Amino acid sequence: MAWRWRLISFLLWLPSFWNDWNEPCRRHLLNQDSKEAFSIASKQYRTAFHFQPPQNWINGFPASLILLSTVSYYQQNQIGPMLYNGIYHLFYQYNPYSAKWGNITWGHSISTDLINWTPLDIALRPSEPFDLQGCWSGSATILPGNKPVILYTGISESGHNVQNIALPKNISDPFLLEWVKPPYNPVMVAEGVKPTQFRDPSTCWLGKDGLWRTTVGAEDFEKKAKALLYRSKDFVKWTRAEQPLFSTDSSSMIECIDFFPVSAKWKRGLDGSTIEAEDVKHVLKMGVFDNSHDYYLIGKYLEELDEFIPENVVEDDHRMWLRYDYGSFYASKTFFDAENRRRVLWAWSNESDTISDDIVKGWAGVQTVPRTIWLDENGKQLVQWPVRELESLRMEKVELKDVKVSKGGLIEIKGVKASQADIEVEFEFPELKKAELIYHDWKLDDAQMACDEMCSSVPGSIGPFGLLVLASHDLEEHTAIFFRVFKTSTAHAVLMCSDQRKYVIDHSVVESFGAGGRTCITARVYPKLLLTGDTHIYVFNNGSETVKITKLKAWEMAKARIN
Ligand code: DQQ
């Protein structure tokens, strides 16, 4: 009996789980004593189609923008992307001098397809008393009349977080090369919150009353997180609303807030200023500073009160909130791509090696592949999938159909370069009654613990089965992405540990999209075998029950032109 659809529907309600892949068999740090290994490694771990600057440190996106006269933008670990007059602009937090964090500026690259990127000069660098110690994250908004404007956090001479404006020097320059900082900056200073914990203004939205709004992350003197709300008529004078958009006792500082509407009826994206439509809900995404995880809530934005009311939240506990991705994924931002009627998400994926490794490599940090993001038809969670433009890099393809993998089975996927691949796979497994019994009441924390405890080599009943990627021939090195099916006293659960249905492999990055994009995990790995180039991809099954690969397609990916 085929259970593929069952599998997918279970994943819908069991959000996602991850394993940090710290097992020595899968992760090798660079050897500082070997200069030769370093120089080879610095090249082999660099990505072929994930955004990176030519060298040095990046941490997240700031803002991006694009196109036409509608609002769109994007912020990625700190700044963001936007589409403007048909060109995507990606601004990112960048240290021009080193592979570690510091001297933060806004790097700038442009693209017409979100895949191939051309580097431009730095867009914002510290220069004024209101940003002398750094140009931190922010967002770009496109004002009526097709006028882009940046709101960003400056670290002032005295080390305080303040919010500033930057405007294009020449609005008819399609590349928006130069940005000026008007003398009326800063436009917001900390009031009632810690002056060093007040940052990352979101993309702005326009209310029915004609006022622009933005939300800024902050920590108050009681160590509580606040999504502060500011309003402005002219984008110059900003007034803080008495009530924050949202506040929580369960976290201290929250960073890179993103606030956007989603449709409960269809997948298409919505302009950030869409508020009053009966099928519209809002997403509030917050980066929790203490653990560098991005969490989100879905709810209703009450425009009259300027308040966000999350749905289905019974306790004020951020650990119960949903995550976009259970791997190395932080400071994400979305932007509305009006030309393609979609909302696009990106995030910063930090290295998991050491700072000294990064210095030797000469670079640190990549961006995830851009993902289209929409509200699941159940209205309870978001779904993500790589933008369709990524498919333009697909080259050789191999296919499998209806192949059984019995206990201990291992099938190699030959014919594609295993370090640069895009794989889609569907599994069927037998009757659920064979599932292992575990835990009485399955909670998210239990799932994460289970992934940590039961790695892919611990035999089970239905699973573990899945993929071994970036694997050496003897399997001594590998990154496993697998499923395991359990039954609790009341239901069945599919555990996805670093993964399932779609895998995007790019040297030191493996992005996994399970259950059609409802569960995502981004892993950073440094397999030693990348130095020799002898990498393999396998399907495996370490469960006692036979599973079937109903469909598997794997493509070798071409290298994108990135910077
Ligand atoms: N990094 C930026 C901040 C942001 C944080 C500084 C997120 O603006 O809060 O580089 O990683």
Side-chain angles (χ1 to χ4, degrees):
M1 186 165 190
W3 287 98
R4 174 160 57 90
W5 296 110
R6 277 284 179 102
L7 168 68
I8 288 171
S9 66
F10 286 132
L11 280 165
L12 292 181
W13 62 262
L14 191 64
S16 76
F17 321 104
W18 83 296
N19 183 341
D20 66 5
W21 303 114
N22 272 343
E23 292 178 27
C25 64
R26 282 178 290 209
R27 183 174 159 221
H28 290 261
L29 298 183
L30 305 178
N31 170 5
Q32 291 212 47
D33 299 331
S34 160
K35 290 229 163 52
E36 198 191 350
F38 283 161
S39 75
I40 300 169
S42 68
K43 291 196 193 100
Q44 294 307 324
Y45 296 141
R46 277 187 78 80
T47 54
F49 52 88
H50 283 75
F51 180 90
Q52 296 188 281
Q55 59 183 4
N56 294 332
W57 166 274
I58 61 165
N59 63 296
F61 282 90
S64 61
L65 57 130
I66 122 184
L67 100 128
L68 307 180
S69 49
T70 33
V71 180
S72 57
Y73 35 67
Y74 172 89
Q75 175 174 355
Q76 182 174 356
N77 181 354
Q78 301 81 6
I79 310 179
M82 69 178 179
L83 175 58
Y84 183 67
N85 288 337
I87 297 179
Y88 293 96
H89 293 250
L90 176 61
F91 302 100
Y92 50 92
Q93 294 277 277
Y94 178 55
N95 182 348
Y97 308 115
S98 158
K100 59 181 185 179
W101 186 88
N103 313 299
I104 292 296
T105 66
W106 278 41
H108 185 188
S109 290
I110 51 169
S111 169
T112 51
D113 61 4
L114 290 171
I115 302 298
N116 298 289
W117 292 91
T118 305
L120 300 180
D121 200 7
I122 287 171
L124 294 177
R125 58 176 89 234
S127 62
E128 306 298 326
F130 51 77
D131 68 5
L132 218 47
Q133 293 197 42
C135 296
W136 286 15
S137 199
S139 304
T141 301
I142 301 182
L143 303 183
N146 207 18
K147 294 186 188 136
V149 54
I150 282 173
L151 252 184
Y152 73 99
T153 299
I155 309 303
S156 70
E157 253 178 323
S158 55
H160 288 182
N161 296 183
V162 297
Q163 316 315 324
N164 303 318
I165 296 274
L167 303 163
K169 188 167 179 186
N170 173 8
I171 195 125
S172 38
D173 168 13
F175 302 145
L176 300 173
L177 280 174
E178 289 181 81
W179 293 78
V180 290
K181 304 166 186 173
Y184 53 72
N185 278 321
V187 294
M188 297 167 214
V189 297
E191 304 162 83
V193 294
K194 295 181 179 170
T196 53
Q197 303 287 43
F198 169 57
R199 57 183 170 268
D200 311 339
S202 73
T203 299
C204 302
W205 69 99
L206 192 60
K208 265 199 320 231
D209 53 9
L211 299 180
W212 284 101
R213 287 153 168 86
T214 185
T215 175
V216 183
E219 180 184 330
D220 71 11
F221 293 101
E222 273 84 50
K223 295 193 174 158
K224 291 179 184 163
K226 299 219 168 338
L228 299 174
L229 182 82
Y230 283 81
R231 300 189 191 99
S232 175
K233 202 174 170 125
D234 54 8
F235 233 89
V236 175
K237 189 174 179 312
W238 290 84
T239 311
R240 194 180 93 157
E242 218 165 283
Q243 292 302 319
L245 183 69
F246 181 76
S247 61
T248 176
D249 289 355
S250 78
S251 164
S252 48
M253 183 58 189
I254 44 175
E255 302 185 305
C256 295
I257 299 179
D258 200 11
F259 185 59
F260 57 90
V262 283
S263 167
K265 278 210 191 128
W266 41 45
K267 271 170 79 167
R268 70 176 170 79
L270 298 173
D271 178 286
S273 297
T274 313
I275 293 163
E276 296 233 13
E278 84 185 79
D279 62 311
V280 168
K281 293 188 185 187
H282 270 73
V283 173
L284 179 68
K285 190 282 297 189
M286 293 162 279
V288 169
F289 178 67
D290 288 344
N291 61 14
S292 296
H293 293 336
D294 271 359
Y295 295 88
Y296 71 89
L297 293 165
I298 297 172
K300 272 281 171 195
Y301 169 45
L302 309 179
E303 200 200 354
E304 303 291 300
L305 301 172
D306 258 334
E307 223 183 294
F308 171 74
I309 311 291
E311 288 175 352
N312 305 317
V313 172
V314 281
E315 271 174 82
D316 183 22
D317 184 347
H318 79 258
R319 292 169 305 174
M320 305 308 286
W321 301 349
L322 292 165
R323 284 171 61 185
Y324 284 157
D325 188 297
Y326 289 77
S328 173
F329 182 103
Y330 189 54
S332 62
K333 275 282 183 115
T334 63
F335 77 100
F336 175 55
D337 177 347
E339 220 166 67
N340 296 290
R341 302 294 286 161
R342 63 185 171 182
R343 185 160 284 274
V344 179
L345 166 77
W346 302 57
W348 165 47
S349 186
N350 195 6
E351 303 302 304
S352 61
D353 59 5
T354 64
I355 293 178
S356 24
D357 288 337
D358 294 340
I359 288 171
V360 173
K361 297 202 314 259
W363 58 273
V366 303
Q367 298 296 338
T368 60
V369 293
R371 305 170 180 185
T372 306
I373 185 166
W374 67 94
L375 184 64
D376 188 14
E377 55 197 15
N378 72 11
K380 292 185 182 153
Q381 69 170 108
L382 297 168
V383 189
Q384 303 158 54
W385 201 251
V387 293
R388 60 175 181 277
E389 289 89 334
L390 191 67
E391 294 174 14
S392 65
L393 297 176
R394 287 175 172 174
M395 304 192 300
E396 284 79 34
K397 176 168 113 179
V398 294
E399 247 182 302
L400 294 182
K401 252 191 181 165
D402 296 331
V403 177
K404 289 191 173 163
V405 195
S406 52
K407 182 181 174 190
L410 193 65
I411 296 172
E412 181 164 5
I413 311 300
K414 291 185 180 159
V416 296
K417 186 174 174 186
S419 58
Q420 226 168 283
D422 182 3
I423 306 171
E424 293 185 359
V425 57
E426 283 179 8
F427 291 102
E428 280 179 6
F429 50 84
E431 309 170 67
L432 282 171
K433 65 179 183 212
K434 298 273 174 61
E436 297 159 76
L437 184 64
I438 166 174
Y439 303 113
H440 295 297
D441 183 16
W442 188 262
K443 290 208 193 87
L444 193 59
D445 282 358
D446 294 331
Q448 289 174 355
M449 232 184 299
C451 271
D452 286 344
E453 282 165 12
M454 291 181 285
C455 81
S456 56
S457 53
V458 177
S461 179
I462 306 178
F465 62 87
L467 254 64
L468 301 177
V469 302
L470 295 172
S472 57
H473 201 56
D474 58 7
L475 296 186
E476 195 198 320
E477 280 196 312
H478 62 263
T479 293
I481 307 152
F482 60 96
F483 287 126
R484 210 171 170 123
V485 184
F486 294 105
K487 61 183 169 218
T488 69
S489 50
T490 53
H492 288 87
V494 178
L495 184 67
M496 173 171 130
C497 294
S498 194
D499 238 332
Q500 79 337 26
R501 189 179 176 291
K502 182 181 179 73
Y503 311 83
V504 177
I505 305 157
D506 187 4
H507 301 250
S508 58
V509 189
V510 181
E511 287 190 57
S512 304
F513 301 83
R518 287 165 185 87
T519 300
C520 305
I521 304 175
T522 299
R524 299 304 311 277
V525 290
Y526 308 93
K528 210 161 80 184
L529 58 92
L530 273 184
L531 306 185
T532 59
D534 187 26
T535 51
H536 304 263
I537 302 170
Y538 300 94
V539 177
F540 78 99
N541 180 14
N542 277 335
S544 55
E545 298 302 308
T546 296
V547 295
K548 186 155 99 180
I549 307 165
T550 47
K551 214 183 335 177
L552 181 147
K553 290 182 189 168
W555 294 264
E556 178 165 332
M557 298 293 272
K559 190 169 171 11
R561 287 188 315 278
I562 296 183
N563 295 327

